[in-house]
């Protein structure tokens, strides 16, 4: 499919075809930049890329999500951005060069996607990591997956100007089939935790509030403020008990609530990983619900639509747990349920949302997949 699309756009055959998954975070929201733990997994929706080397230094990008933009042309020896989607893959090439990986020639790239954009499923990381992986296959056999994640995060921070943590790129590069990834976002220590015999469904509220970016930066500031008053370098270095003892030193009650979320959420990630290891999905579900309530009431990054989806899911038979996932103010919920209940869940959640919001949400049952891979031609 991607090979024939590549041929149509570029008028020649592609050399290879790679796939990068999106990711969903099961629990551990707003913990990554607080030096804490996250528990994402890669999903079977994502971004395909067909590519081929060129004989000159041009870099050409085409996405079937942006046909109106046509083929975007960049030059590997000119670091000029164009303020369009293709800056994402081009940034990865600039970042690779910065880390000492200079491609020997230019390249043409075709991207095809079945991942909704801006919904908190990390389409940006999927575009970045699939680009890095293509270059790994063509030019840099010794570039490790972990290094790819670090370089792609650097690209998004430095060239796109989005101050994201490492979770997205790490999950997309390092995910494993039927496993969640327990990741310490500060040290990059990680562990695979089996996730079997339960179904995962993502529900897209279809909303993205304009608040998201400014509120994200504000939350980061509120957490930094709390850190200074607590005299710690990262909130998640504190256990809930230590936090209880020290919390009065935070003078702003708002910052105290933000810090309370980060500390307790980090603890919930640890408990969630243990619950998954025991296949104790009821406990996992309880923790997901607690996480949502804390994001709603303490961190204040939920919104009416996400609350409606999570709260409705909690009442549906077979559902172990549900919560908002991603930064907040729109995007998706993640729902964990008994296998065999997915189609009833889909009907129930759709009609609950339709009744209150006047439209149906998009519902995606997903399976937990491996990280970026090269596909057979
Ligand atoms: P997400 O939560 O999906 O990562 P972001 O706002 O971080 O949302 O990233 C979305 C951006 O990533 C898009 O605006 C676009 O620039 C880029 N992107 C995502 N998917 C594609 C695609 N299929 N083709 C081209 N660019 C894409
Ligand atoms: Mg993103």
């Amino acid at each position: 499919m991607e090979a024939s699309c590549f041929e149509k756009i570029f008028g020649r055959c592609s050399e290879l075809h790679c796939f990068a998954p999106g990711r969903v975070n099961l629990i551990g929201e707003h913990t990554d930049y607080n030096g804490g733990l996250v528990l994402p997994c890669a999903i079977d929706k994502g971004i395909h890329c067909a590519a081929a080397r060129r004989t000159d230094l041009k870099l050409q990008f085409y996405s079937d999500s942006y046909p109106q933009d046509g083929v975007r042309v960049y030059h590997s020896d000119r670091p000029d951005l164009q303020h369009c989607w293709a800056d994402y893959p081009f940034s990865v090439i600039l970042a690779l060069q910065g880390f000492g990986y200079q491609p020997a020639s230019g390249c043409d790239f075709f991207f095809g996607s079945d991942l909704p954009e801006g919904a908190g499923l990390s389409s940006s990381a999927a575009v970045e990591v699939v680009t890095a992986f293509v270059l790994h296959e063509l030019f840099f056999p010794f570039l490790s997956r972990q290094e790819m994640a670090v370089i792609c995060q650097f690209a998004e921070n430095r060239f796109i100007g989005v101050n994201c943590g490492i979770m997205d790129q790490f999950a997309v590069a390092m995910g494993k089939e039927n496993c969640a990834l327990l990741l310490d976002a500060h040290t990059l220590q990680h562990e695979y935790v089996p996730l079997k015999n339960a179904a995962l469904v993502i529900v897209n509220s279809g909303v993205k509030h304009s608040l998201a970016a400014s509120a994200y930066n504000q939350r980061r500031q509120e957490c930094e403020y709390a850190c200074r008053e607590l005299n710690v370098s990262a909130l998640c270095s504190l256990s809930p008990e230590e936090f209880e003892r020290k919390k009065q030193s935070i003078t702003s009650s708002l910052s105290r609530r933000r810090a309370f979320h980060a500390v307790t959420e980090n603890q919930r990630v640890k408990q969630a990983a243990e619950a998954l290891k025991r296949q104790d999905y009821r406990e996992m579900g309880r923790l997901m619900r607690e996480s949502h309530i804390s994001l709603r009431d303490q961190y204040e990054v939920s919104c009416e639509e996400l609350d409606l989806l999570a709260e409705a899911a909690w009442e549906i038979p077979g559902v172990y747990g549900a919560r908002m996932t991603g930064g907040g103010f729109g995007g998706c919920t993640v729902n964990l349920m008994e296998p065999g209940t997915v189609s009833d869940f889909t009907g129930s959640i759709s009609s609950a949302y339709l009744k209150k919001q006047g439209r149906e949400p998009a519902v995606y049952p997903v399976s937990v997949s491996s990280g970026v891979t090269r596909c057979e031609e």
Side-chain angles (χ1 to χ4, degrees):
M1 168 67 180
E2 273 64 31
S4 62
C5 295
F6 180 97
E7 213 174 317
K8 223 180 269 166
I9 299 298
F10 295 106
R12 63 195 183 106
C13 291
S14 59
E15 279 183 72
L16 81 172
H17 168 200
C18 299
F19 173 76
R23 68 98 188 92
V24 64
N25 190 22
L26 298 177
I27 196 162
E29 219 63 77
H30 293 278
T31 45
D32 60 349
Y33 55 83
N34 283 309
L37 299 165
V38 292
L39 191 64
C41 47
I43 59 177
D44 57 345
K45 285 184 170 297
I47 298 189
H48 290 268
C49 177
R53 280 170 281 200
R54 297 179 56 86
T55 51
D56 58 19
L57 293 179
K58 270 189 205 160
L59 295 155
Q60 304 201 116
F61 304 101
Y62 182 92
S63 167
D64 73 352
S65 306
Y66 294 87
Q68 70 281 9
D69 283 1
V71 175
R72 309 299 303 194
V73 183
Y74 293 73
H75 297 268
S76 59
D77 52 350
R78 275 183 247 156
D80 302 334
L81 298 178
Q82 301 181 10
H83 308 287
C84 75
W85 69 269
D87 286 354
Y88 280 78
F90 181 60
S91 290
V92 171
I93 292 160
L94 291 179
L96 280 164
Q97 290 174 340
F99 280 74
Y101 293 100
Q102 177 69 50
S105 74
C107 233
D108 292 338
F109 297 83
F110 172 92
F111 298 97
S113 172
D114 62 357
L115 196 61
E117 286 178 30
L121 301 179
S122 257
S123 67
S124 59
V127 173
E128 292 153 11
V129 172
V130 82
T131 304
F133 198 77
V134 161
L135 293 165
H136 159 73
E137 293 291 300
L138 292 176
F139 302 110
F140 313 124
F142 300 114
L143 177 65
S144 73
R145 284 169 181 264
Q146 188 161 321
E147 206 178 355
M148 263 179 237
V150 170
I151 291 172
C152 289
Q153 183 207 10
F154 176 83
E156 189 159 338
N157 292 169
R158 172 80 170 74
F159 301 112
I160 304 297
V162 176
N163 204 3
C164 58
I166 185 75
M167 165 170 69
D168 299 355
Q169 291 81 5
F170 205 92
V172 170
M174 303 279 292
K176 197 163 150 180
E177 209 174 341
N178 296 322
C179 285
L181 183 57
L182 177 64
L183 169 68
D184 181 322
H186 184 57
T187 62
L188 300 190
Q189 273 190 340
H190 56 279
E191 183 188 338
Y192 293 99
V193 182
L195 175 54
K196 289 183 198 149
N197 306 323
L200 208 55
V201 180
I202 293 165
V203 181
N204 192 347
S205 68
V207 300
K208 184 157 173 86
H209 292 288
S210 53
L211 259 168
S214 62
Y216 178 83
N217 292 332
Q218 211 180 342
R219 294 298 178 281
R220 289 193 70 144
Q221 275 173 12
E222 288 158 358
C223 289
E224 280 164 24
Y225 178 82
C227 275
R228 276 200 298 279
E229 295 204 308
L230 288 164
N231 199 22
V232 293
S233 59
L235 290 174
C236 294
S237 63
L238 297 173
S239 67
E241 296 74 28
E242 285 169 324
F243 179 74
E244 276 306 307
R245 281 201 300 277
K246 292 178 125 188
K247 70 179 183 193
Q248 291 312 330
S249 55
I250 308 174
T251 46
S252 146
S253 65
L254 190 73
S255 276
R256 208 180 304 138
R257 286 198 288 124
R258 307 304 192 225
F260 178 78
H261 166 76
V263 170
T264 56
E265 181 78 352
N266 195 48
Q267 179 71 6
R268 280 188 286 275
V269 181
K270 291 181 192 168
Q271 293 171 322
E274 291 309 313
L276 284 188
K277 286 179 195 166
R278 300 192 303 272
Q279 293 203 16
D280 184 351
Y281 294 127
R282 281 188 199 289
E283 172 66 359
M284 178 68 195
R286 185 189 70 76
L287 292 161
M288 289 169 77
R289 181 185 175 128
E290 291 289 306
S291 168
H292 184 86
I293 292 170
S294 178
L295 289 159
R296 183 187 70 191
D297 300 342
Q298 309 295 337
Y299 218 66
E300 296 180 285
V301 290
S302 188
C303 61
E304 189 189 321
E305 295 87 348
L306 291 173
D307 288 343
L308 166 59
L309 287 175
E311 288 160 19
W314 297 339
E315 304 304 322
I316 298 174
V319 171
Y320 295 121
R323 58 180 284 276
M324 55 158 278
T325 184
F329 301 104
C332 297
T333 58
V334 56
N335 303 265
L336 188 73
M337 65 196 68
E338 287 171 29
T341 63
V342 173
S343 73
D344 286 351
F345 170 82
T346 303
S348 304
I349 199 76
S350 300
S351 62
Y353 200 67
L354 180 64
K355 208 158 113 197
K356 293 239 171 84
Q357 294 291 328
R359 62 200 162 82
E360 292 198 351
V363 181
Y364 319 113
V366 292
S367 45
V368 177
S369 306
S370 56
V372 64
T373 48
R374 183 167 179 165
C375 307
E376 298 299 323
E377 292 305 315

PDB file of all heavy atoms in Angstrom, residues 164-175:
ATOM      1  N   CYS A 164       8.019  18.768  25.353  1.00  0.00           N
ATOM      2  CA  CYS A 164       7.487  17.469  25.787  1.00  0.00           C
ATOM      3  C   CYS A 164       8.547  16.685  26.562  1.00  0.00           C
ATOM      4  O   CYS A 164       9.742  16.921  26.409  1.00  0.00           O
ATOM      5  CB  CYS A 164       7.024  16.665  24.578  1.00  0.00           C
ATOM      6  SG  CYS A 164       8.323  16.379  23.364  1.00  0.00           S
ATOM      7  N   GLY A 165       8.081  15.745  27.381  1.00  0.00           N
ATOM      8  CA  GLY A 165       8.991  14.834  28.073  1.00  0.00           C
ATOM      9  C   GLY A 165       9.415  13.715  27.121  1.00  0.00           C
ATOM     10  O   GLY A 165       9.128  13.757  25.918  1.00  0.00           O
ATOM     11  N   ILE A 166      10.061  12.675  27.678  1.00  0.00           N
ATOM     12  CA  ILE A 166      10.620  11.597  26.847  1.00  0.00           C
ATOM     13  C   ILE A 166       9.614  10.454  26.627  1.00  0.00           C
ATOM     14  O   ILE A 166       9.820   9.611  25.760  1.00  0.00           O
ATOM     15  CB  ILE A 166      11.926  11.052  27.506  1.00  0.00           C
ATOM     16  CG1 ILE A 166      12.638   9.999  26.645  1.00  0.00           C
ATOM     17  CG2 ILE A 166      11.642  10.439  28.880  1.00  0.00           C
ATOM     18  CD1 ILE A 166      13.353  10.551  25.466  1.00  0.00           C
ATOM     19  N   MET A 167       8.513  10.440  27.397  1.00  0.00           N
ATOM     20  CA  MET A 167       7.631   9.266  27.371  1.00  0.00           C
ATOM     21  C   MET A 167       7.181   8.879  25.962  1.00  0.00           C
ATOM     22  O   MET A 167       7.238   7.697  25.597  1.00  0.00           O
ATOM     23  CB  MET A 167       6.389   9.516  28.231  1.00  0.00           C
ATOM     24  CG  MET A 167       5.297   8.500  27.961  1.00  0.00           C
ATOM     25  SD  MET A 167       3.955   8.547  29.097  1.00  0.00           S
ATOM     26  CE  MET A 167       3.166  10.086  28.729  1.00  0.00           C
ATOM     27  N   ASP A 168       6.710   9.839  25.182  1.00  0.00           N
ATOM     28  CA  ASP A 168       6.089   9.512  23.900  1.00  0.00           C
ATOM     29  C   ASP A 168       7.071   8.818  22.964  1.00  0.00           C
ATOM     30  O   ASP A 168       6.804   7.744  22.432  1.00  0.00           O
ATOM     31  CB  ASP A 168       5.573  10.780  23.211  1.00  0.00           C
ATOM     32  CG  ASP A 168       4.514  11.482  24.038  1.00  0.00           C
ATOM     33  OD1 ASP A 168       4.125  10.930  25.081  1.00  0.00           O
ATOM     34  OD2 ASP A 168       4.088  12.575  23.632  1.00  0.00           O
ATOM     35  N   GLN A 169       8.213   9.445  22.778  1.00  0.00           N
ATOM     36  CA  GLN A 169       9.200   8.902  21.843  1.00  0.00           C
ATOM     37  C   GLN A 169       9.732   7.561  22.367  1.00  0.00           C
ATOM     38  O   GLN A 169       9.997   6.647  21.578  1.00  0.00           O
ATOM     39  CB  GLN A 169      10.353   9.883  21.652  1.00  0.00           C
ATOM     40  CG  GLN A 169       9.985  11.158  20.901  1.00  0.00           C
ATOM     41  CD  GLN A 169       9.301  12.203  21.770  1.00  0.00           C
ATOM     42  OE1 GLN A 169       9.159  12.035  22.988  1.00  0.00           O
ATOM     43  NE2 GLN A 169       8.889  13.301  21.166  1.00  0.00           N
ATOM     44  N   PHE A 170       9.869   7.452  23.679  1.00  0.00           N
ATOM     45  CA  PHE A 170      10.392   6.224  24.266  1.00  0.00           C
ATOM     46  C   PHE A 170       9.422   5.063  24.032  1.00  0.00           C
ATOM     47  O   PHE A 170       9.828   3.970  23.614  1.00  0.00           O
ATOM     48  CB  PHE A 170      10.633   6.428  25.769  1.00  0.00           C
ATOM     49  CG  PHE A 170      11.672   5.513  26.345  1.00  0.00           C
ATOM     50  CD1 PHE A 170      12.993   5.903  26.412  1.00  0.00           C
ATOM     51  CD2 PHE A 170      11.324   4.252  26.808  1.00  0.00           C
ATOM     52  CE1 PHE A 170      13.958   5.060  26.931  1.00  0.00           C
ATOM     53  CE2 PHE A 170      12.287   3.401  27.328  1.00  0.00           C
ATOM     54  CZ  PHE A 170      13.605   3.805  27.395  1.00  0.00           C
ATOM     55  N   ALA A 171       8.135   5.314  24.275  1.00  0.00           N
ATOM     56  CA  ALA A 171       7.139   4.244  24.100  1.00  0.00           C
ATOM     57  C   ALA A 171       7.045   3.827  22.632  1.00  0.00           C
ATOM     58  O   ALA A 171       6.924   2.642  22.319  1.00  0.00           O
ATOM     59  CB  ALA A 171       5.782   4.712  24.608  1.00  0.00           C
ATOM     60  N   VAL A 172       7.103   4.801  21.736  1.00  0.00           N
ATOM     61  CA  VAL A 172       6.985   4.505  20.300  1.00  0.00           C
ATOM     62  C   VAL A 172       8.205   3.714  19.810  1.00  0.00           C
ATOM     63  O   VAL A 172       8.092   2.813  18.986  1.00  0.00           O
ATOM     64  CB  VAL A 172       6.813   5.823  19.496  1.00  0.00           C
ATOM     65  CG1 VAL A 172       6.923   5.588  18.008  1.00  0.00           C
ATOM     66  CG2 VAL A 172       5.486   6.491  19.847  1.00  0.00           C
ATOM     67  N   ALA A 173       9.379   4.039  20.346  1.00  0.00           N
ATOM     68  CA  ALA A 173      10.598   3.354  19.911  1.00  0.00           C
ATOM     69  C   ALA A 173      10.785   1.997  20.604  1.00  0.00           C
ATOM     70  O   ALA A 173      11.302   1.060  19.999  1.00  0.00           O
ATOM     71  CB  ALA A 173      11.818   4.243  20.172  1.00  0.00           C
ATOM     72  N   MET A 174      10.363   1.900  21.862  1.00  0.00           N
ATOM     73  CA  MET A 174      10.762   0.759  22.702  1.00  0.00           C
ATOM     74  C   MET A 174       9.610  -0.173  23.088  1.00  0.00           C
ATOM     75  O   MET A 174       9.823  -1.128  23.828  1.00  0.00           O
ATOM     76  CB  MET A 174      11.391   1.281  24.003  1.00  0.00           C
ATOM     77  CG  MET A 174      12.572   2.199  23.806  1.00  0.00           C
ATOM     78  SD  MET A 174      14.092   1.310  23.477  1.00  0.00           S
ATOM     79  CE  MET A 174      14.371   0.524  25.058  1.00  0.00           C
ATOM     80  N   GLY A 175       8.381   0.131  22.634  1.00  0.00           N
ATOM     81  CA  GLY A 175       7.231  -0.679  23.037  1.00  0.00           C
ATOM     82  C   GLY A 175       7.401  -2.155  22.703  1.00  0.00           C
ATOM     83  O   GLY A 175       8.216  -2.524  21.852  1.00  0.00           O
TER      84      GLY A 175
END
